Amino acid sequence: GGASRGIGKDIALAFAAEGAKIVVVARSEVEPDPRLPGTIHQTVDEIKAAGGDAIAVKADISDEAQVETMAQSTLDTYGRVDILVNNAAVLVPRGILDLPTRHIDLHNRVNIKGPIVCIRAVLPSMLQQQQGWIINVSSRAAVFPGPGPYKDVAPTRAFMYAATKAALERLTQGLAMEYQDQGISFNVLSPVGRVRTPGNVFGMTKPGETPEPFEEAIAMGKSAVFICSQDPRTFTGNILFDEEVVRQYDL
């Protein structure tokens, strides 16, 4: 989920470059805002232009019916699901007294329910294959307190995002233990820094400010490909940071 722009798109391109067939999933069939460039169709076009194979599926990952359709479309087109990358997330930077209840629900729906629903949709086919790799994208925000990439969004203003990412990490490790013997790996991958993606630049820019330029999440793409080249029965349950993976394994 979330492959129309930013980290998700770069991970999709990295897998496509290795010959993987890609299902590009996000809500964006059209650009929602000129400050948020990128759609699922643009990502597919880039993959195909580079000689890869990809389809676009519009889906809100917090909507169970849409996710089931996404999983079925994948099986109908390619016959199997080997890898799931849960990248879509939301961060509404508000303190607890200023965060509307609907935004509390939004964090839970997208950042926790979304990955669970996506995992549940693809797990049966992975279990049939006795092989699969699931990567949940997290953030250093999950290991507050202390300075980090979100220091310009005070920890109290990212409390729901941080809490849901911490929950996602515990969820990942629990599932890793449960499915290790069946050949399904569950790993967490986070960027070391705050990658200046369109969503981040848009979300963090104050009125009148010039946004920082976008940057490519190259280390995230390399790390994701590395994780899925490892034996899922032995390389599972890890909390990984992209630049550390690149450095440790000389990618």
Side-chain angles (χ1 to χ4, degrees):
S4 55
R5 62 182 73 89
I7 289 171
K9 177 181 177 180
D10 288 348
I11 290 175
L13 293 174
F15 276 116
E18 296 294 324
K21 296 174 173 64
I22 308 297
V23 179
V24 179
V25 182
R27 292 177 305 160
S28 301
E29 283 200 291
V30 296
E31 291 179 359
D33 187 291
R35 291 168 292 184
L36 287 173
T39 69
I40 51 177
H41 300 295
Q42 286 174 18
T43 301
V44 167
D45 289 345
E46 281 190 43
I47 289 169
K48 287 184 172 178
D53 188 349
I55 60 168
V57 177
K58 181 184 187 301
D60 177 344
I61 59 140
S62 68
D63 184 311
E64 200 166 351
Q66 292 184 41
V67 169
E68 288 294 338
T69 300
M70 169 203 77
Q72 194 57 53
S73 298
T74 304
L75 292 171
D76 290 346
T77 306
Y78 296 124
R80 58 187 291 134
V81 182
D82 293 293
I83 296 164
L84 169 68
V85 178
N86 280 314
N87 171 70
V90 64
L91 190 172
V92 181
R94 297 273 181 88
I96 192 167
L97 296 177
D98 303 316
L99 190 70
T101 302
R102 64 188 173 88
H103 284 159
I104 295 170
D105 293 338
L106 178 67
H107 281 91
N108 285 323
R109 198 169 73 241
V110 176
N111 299 0
I112 297 292
K113 179 188 172 187
I116 291 172
V117 167
C118 289
I119 290 165
R120 201 163 58 186
V122 303
L123 197 53
S125 57
M126 288 184 175
L127 287 169
Q128 275 188 324
Q129 297 160 194
Q130 289 285 287
Q131 179 176 278
W133 292 265
I134 293 171
I135 298 175
N136 292 325
V137 174
S138 187
S139 161
R140 269 174 54 179
V143 289
F144 279 140
Y150 291 91
K151 60 182 180 296
D152 49 351
V153 179
T156 54
R157 294 181 65 226
F159 78 100
M160 273 303 299
Y161 176 78
T164 52
K165 287 301 188 184
L168 183 65
E169 294 190 1
R170 299 293 78 73
L171 171 83
T172 305
Q173 291 183 311
L175 292 172
M177 291 181 66
E178 187 171 351
Y179 289 101
Q180 182 172 13
D181 292 341
Q182 294 173 76
I184 319 293
S185 74
F186 289 83
N187 289 288
V188 170
L189 179 62
S190 301
V192 166
R194 176 163 65 84
V195 180
R196 293 189 298 275
T197 62
N200 242 326
V201 170
F202 178 37
M204 303 300 177
T205 303
K206 298 177 179 64
E209 267 188 350
T210 303
E212 298 174 272
F214 303 145
E215 65 184 2
E216 293 179 335
I218 295 170
M220 287 292 287
K222 284 183 176 179
S223 300
V225 168
F226 170 79
I227 290 167
C228 296
S229 67
Q230 304 306 300
D231 183 344
R233 291 174 186 269
T234 55
F235 195 89
T236 188
N238 301 293
I239 308 292
L240 303 164
F241 293 90
D242 61 346
E243 290 175 17
E244 293 174 11
V245 171
V246 168
R247 198 161 49 243
Q248 182 177 349
Y249 296 101
D250 196 23
L251 304 183

